Amino acid sequence: MNKEKQKRQIRMFLDGKGGKDVDAFCIYQWIERCHFHSWWDYALRLAPSVPPNSLDQHYHKRLDFLVSECRKSLEQFNRECVQIRNSSGQPQFSVPVPFMEACLFDLELQTCGVTSKGFALEADGRRVIFVEEITPKNCIFRLFDIDAEELSSWLRSHGFEHLVNGVVRPKREGSQQTAQMRITWPDATNLIDSLVSHLKDIRPVVRPAVARTAPIRASSYPASGKMIQFRVTATHTLRSYSVITFPPEHRRFFPGYKIPFILQTDMGDIETQVASGTSRSEIGDPDEGKYFSKNLKPWVRGHLNEIEEGGLVTIESVEPGQIYRLSVKR
């Protein structure tokens, strides 16, 4: 039995849709398969279905070991992941932090359409990728604006030839359907920037023509004082993504949207920028953006306990619009 068919069979059993002919030894074999394929959550859900003394003592010892290993692996994985929540606010999927950082903060994509199967990534108000069949090791990308042949050709021409084998071919030759590809999380993190840029080029966003001034490349607005202080209340976002969200009233203390500036810290100088605008944000806009996170991970990790314990994040203006000093004061 192939991997996917076995997984469907286990899922059906856990959902109560099958299992009349399933005995304790069959469940033990499933748990071994789950351990091997990193389906750790399935293994933990299957374990209570094996009654005490239903197997040889050797198998029960092996079962205890497998369940313990799956529990440890799942706990480790969850510590390195962020929870994708459904519309009710309940955790639906665990996704590695580096991938979500690349999506949300480097590319400023939005998550939407969370279902029991997966979630969508949206760029400029349009869905570009649906992420599904999520496991601790990999997932499947379903791409909305490209078919399998076009995707394979693009991967080869952009240095991602090693990912072509993961492209799912249509069952019927010549049929037109959206491309799918199975991909590991590290590869997904490396690919997402180039892939999203390509998908945007395929079907660019058409916006109504409006009169706009030229983007402001350097902030022409004075800093709103020499120093600001605030406490970070969104500690989950801080811990997961190393994001420092400042109060909206201090927006003009910093340079314009996506204009680089330097933060002097006790761990060295950090170049960062204000991010999280809208699809219509112009570079340099003094009112767009809500936080900064670029290159901040080492500093946040070094001061996480102080910030979570209520320390005041203090930012002083050294050279307005260019250089600032970042610290935490208890």
Side-chain angles (χ1 to χ4, degrees), residues 139-150:
C139 66
I140 283 183
F141 280 177
R142 185 186 297 274
L143 312 177
F144 290 101
D145 296 318
I146 190 172
D147 63 28
E149 197 59 42
E150 291 172 318

Side-chain angles (χ1 to χ4, degrees), residues 19-229:
K20 291 182 179 179
D21 301 321
V22 177
D23 59 18
F25 187 71
C26 178
I27 297 173
Y28 165 81
Q29 290 179 311
W30 282 351
I31 291 173
E32 276 206 317
R33 193 77 181 263
C34 290
H35 177 262
F36 178 78
H37 289 301
S38 301
W39 303 336
W40 303 313
D41 54 335
Y42 282 10
L44 297 181
R45 291 171 61 190
L46 284 169
S49 298
V50 181
N53 303 317
S54 58
L55 299 171
D56 181 84
Q57 185 178 5
H58 166 76
Y59 286 114
H60 273 293
K61 286 183 178 180
R62 173 68 178 167
L63 179 65
D64 290 342
F65 169 77
L66 292 173
V67 171
S68 175
E69 287 296 297
C70 287
R71 182 174 289 108
K72 289 178 184 177
S73 297
L74 186 60
E75 289 174 353
Q76 176 67 26
F77 175 72
N78 286 334
R79 282 196 294 270
E80 298 170 354
C81 288
V82 62
Q83 297 293 322
I84 303 296
R85 299 178 182 273
N86 58 26
S87 57
S88 302
Q90 299 299 314
Q92 191 76 45
F93 303 104
S94 294
V95 178
V97 168
F99 176 75
M100 293 308 298
E101 283 183 338
C103 291
L104 301 184
F105 302 118
D106 295 343
L107 299 174
E108 298 190 12
L109 303 178
Q110 302 291 325
T111 58
C112 62
V114 180
T115 71
S116 60
K117 293 184 177 180
F119 63 93
L121 291 169
E122 187 178 84
D124 296 327
R126 188 182 78 240
R127 295 185 181 189
V128 290
I129 299 174
F130 190 79
V131 185
E132 58 187 355
E133 295 196 24
I134 296 166
T135 74
K137 289 185 177 180
N138 52 41
C139 66
I140 283 183
F141 280 177
R142 185 186 297 274
L143 312 177
F144 290 101
D145 296 318
I146 190 172
D147 63 28
E149 197 59 42
E150 291 172 318
L151 176 60
S152 297
S153 176
W154 180 84
L155 289 170
R156 290 190 183 96
S157 63
H158 286 75
F160 298 107
E161 189 169 1
H162 62 290
L163 300 179
V164 172
N165 288 338
V167 176
V168 180
R169 301 292 174 181
K171 293 182 179 179
R172 290 184 298 174
E173 189 174 347
S175 64
Q176 294 293 317
Q177 64 182 54
T178 56
Q180 299 177 56
M181 66 181 300
R182 185 173 297 280
I183 188 168
T184 66
W185 289 116
D187 282 336
T189 304
N190 293 332
L191 177 69
I192 191 70
D193 191 346
S194 300
L195 181 59
V196 168
S197 296
H198 178 61
L199 295 175
K200 286 182 177 180
D201 290 341
I202 292 174
R203 187 156 62 93
V205 175
V206 178
R207 300 192 180 100
V210 293
R212 290 188 182 275
T213 57
I216 307 167
R217 292 292 169 178
S219 179
S220 59
Y221 293 82
S224 56
K226 290 290 186 181
M227 181 180 72
I228 62 172
Q229 290 184 312

